[in-house]
Amino acid sequence: MIEHIKNIESEIINLLILKSPFLKDLGLITGKMGIALMFHIYGNRKQSHIYSDFANELLIDIWDEIDSHIKLNFMDGLCGIGWSIEYLAQNYYIEGNTNEICGDIDLLIQNDSLTLLTENIVDLNLEDVLLYVKARELGAFQLNKQSPFKHVFLEELKYRCNKS
């Protein structure tokens, strides 16, 4: 039974290695970001840099493929991608200054998310923004760095949370 499970696991991993570079979806739940996150965790569990290196290649692909048409939401947009980067950094899967890496996402979230929420855009909800902002705030706190968000934005977000 255990050998059968190992064979299935191996088949899934091989299939993901073959297919994931060609995915168009960049998101966390159904796209490259979720697979990159999985490969970092899997590589750590297997103590193999091969999987982590592959995950890093996927991260480079994701960053190269992000354009102005990507959604902001958590499931398949920038909130989920940024959250994943922060998660990977906080758990030492990747190195780097997430304030620099996620800086453009932070600006988009601050500038666009509250407006989109007001306009009731279906692809974005308050929980999406909160998941991203909380992860980024925790990362800044852990590194004794200043919040990546403007105080006005955080106060407006707090107000909207209390209002919901």
Side-chain angles (χ1 to χ4, degrees):
M1 179 66 159
I2 292 178
E3 191 61 37
H4 179 68
I5 292 171
K6 286 183 180 180
N7 288 338
I8 292 173
E9 178 182 300
S10 180
E11 287 180 32
I12 291 169
I13 294 300
N14 290 335
L15 185 63
L16 287 172
I17 288 171
L18 288 172
K19 301 276 185 175
S20 59
F22 303 104
L23 288 175
K24 297 296 180 210
D25 185 345
L26 303 180
L28 172 60
I29 304 302
T30 59
K32 282 185 183 180
M33 191 70 236
I35 295 169
L37 185 67
M38 183 278 305
F39 271 114
H40 269 295
I41 294 168
Y42 186 77
N44 186 50
R45 188 180 71 133
K46 292 290 187 177
Q47 298 179 342
S48 174
H49 291 290
I50 293 170
Y51 301 112
S52 301
D53 291 345
F54 182 74
N56 286 333
E57 289 299 318
L58 286 177
L59 290 176
I60 291 168
D61 287 352
I62 292 164
W63 225 247
D64 289 344
E65 294 175 28
I66 289 177
D67 64 19
S68 61
H69 300 300
I70 192 166
K71 299 173 185 177
L72 281 180
N73 69 5
F74 192 82
M75 188 165 85
D76 57 359
L78 289 176
C79 284
I81 291 171
W83 178 91
S84 300
I85 295 294
E86 190 64 52
Y87 174 88
L88 290 169
Q90 287 178 25
N91 291 281
Y92 308 104
Y93 291 106
I94 62 172
E95 294 179 4
N97 182 339
T98 55
N99 283 347
E100 290 177 13
I101 297 168
C102 295
D104 290 340
I105 297 174
D106 294 344
L107 288 174
L108 279 170
I109 296 297
Q110 287 181 102
N111 294 336
D112 294 347
S113 65
L114 296 178
T115 302
L116 293 173
L117 288 168
T118 301
E119 296 171 359
N120 294 320
I121 300 298
V122 175
D123 294 334
L124 186 67
N125 61 48
L126 190 57
E127 289 83 10
D128 292 349
V129 176
L130 283 174
L131 284 168
Y132 177 73
V133 170
K134 285 178 74 174
R136 294 287 292 120
E137 288 286 293
L138 178 61
F141 176 76
Q142 288 176 341
L143 296 173
N144 292 320
K145 293 193 178 212
Q146 185 175 354
S147 170
F149 302 104
K150 296 175 187 169
H151 181 72
V152 172
F153 169 77
L154 293 174
E155 287 299 314
E156 179 64 22
L157 193 57
K158 181 179 173 183
Y159 170 77
R160 287 174 187 246
C161 289
N162 289 333
K163 188 176 163 187
S164 309

